[in-house]
Amino acid sequence: MRKAQIALLISAFSLTPLSCSSIPEEAITLNQEILKEVGVIHDINKSLTDSFFNSKIEKIEEIENSSIRSYIALVSSELETNPLQSFGHQELESFYDGIKSIHDSSNIKKSEIVNQREASKKSLDEHFKLISEASTAITKILSSQAKIEYNSLNILKNLTSPLSPINITQE
């Protein structure tokens, strides 16, 4: 019996960390709360990214609309200076091609910006995933270490507690 207690005591010490400090439950909770806050920051970053790139798209749309208005004004001015000139099929086609060219250029730029926005958000997601995985791993390590410490202390407490007296009765 005594040998079994000594073996248990030795194994308990081997499970006990060698440092003097222990891991408080608050460390695990704090790590989980930090991850939640990082998640909030991640959502804010994605929202700010959307806002930034959406403002660029709006600016392109403003330029597109302004360019089309200027083009129409230019054509109107041309018609005012030469009112006798007939506005035929070829002129209408040229007018349409000019507006279409402005619109197509605008769409190309907006598409590039959308691609940049999606690439930025993908990068944010990848970085958040790495942080999340690291934090989860740290939480698991802390939890595991805390359980080992708790179990080691219970084993030590049970091994070092005074033995209850043995009642010997004579029959």
Side-chain angles (χ1 to χ4, degrees), residues 115-141:
N115 290 339
Q116 289 173 357
R117 177 183 63 202
E118 295 310 310
S120 294
K121 288 172 64 175
K122 183 179 178 185
S123 177
L124 286 171
D125 287 340
E126 289 170 355
H127 286 94
F128 176 70
K129 182 181 177 190
L130 287 173
I131 291 168
S132 179
E133 288 171 352
S135 181
T136 300
I138 290 169
T139 300
K140 286 179 181 178
I141 290 169

Side-chain angles (χ1 to χ4, degrees), residues 20-40:
C20 296
S21 64
S22 64
I23 296 176
E25 185 65 31
E26 293 83 6
I28 299 165
T29 305
L30 177 63
N31 196 53
Q32 292 167 337
E33 290 301 314
I34 288 172
L35 182 59
K36 285 180 191 175
E37 292 301 316
V38 169
V40 170

Side-chain angles (χ1 to χ4, degrees), residues 48-62 113 117:
L48 288 172
T49 299
D50 280 335
S51 294
F52 173 74
F53 286 104
N54 288 344
S55 70
K56 286 184 155 203
I57 289 171
E58 287 172 9
K59 184 67 175 167
I60 288 172
E61 289 171 348
E62 288 173 12
I113 290 173
R117 177 183 63 202

Side-chain angles (χ1 to χ4, degrees), residues 52-87:
F52 173 74
F53 286 104
N54 288 344
S55 70
K56 286 184 155 203
I57 289 171
E58 287 172 9
K59 184 67 175 167
I60 288 172
E61 289 171 348
E62 288 173 12
I63 293 169
E64 175 186 11
N65 292 334
S66 174
S67 297
I68 289 173
R69 282 192 300 276
S70 296
Y71 184 73
I72 290 171
L74 181 66
V75 171
S76 294
S77 173
E78 177 90 18
L79 286 173
E80 286 177 9
T81 56
N82 298 318
L84 298 177
Q85 179 184 3
S86 65
F87 209 65

Side-chain angles (χ1 to χ4, degrees), residues 120-166:
S120 294
K121 288 172 64 175
K122 183 179 178 185
S123 177
L124 286 171
D125 287 340
E126 289 170 355
H127 286 94
F128 176 70
K129 182 181 177 190
L130 287 173
I131 291 168
S132 179
E133 288 171 352
S135 181
T136 300
I138 290 169
T139 300
K140 286 179 181 178
I141 290 169
L142 291 173
S143 294
S144 175
Q145 187 64 35
K147 285 177 188 171
I148 289 171
E149 289 175 5
Y150 177 77
N151 290 337
S152 297
L153 289 174
N154 279 339
I155 290 171
L156 285 174
K157 192 184 280 183
N158 289 336
L159 289 176
T160 58
S161 65
L163 296 174
S164 58
I166 300 174

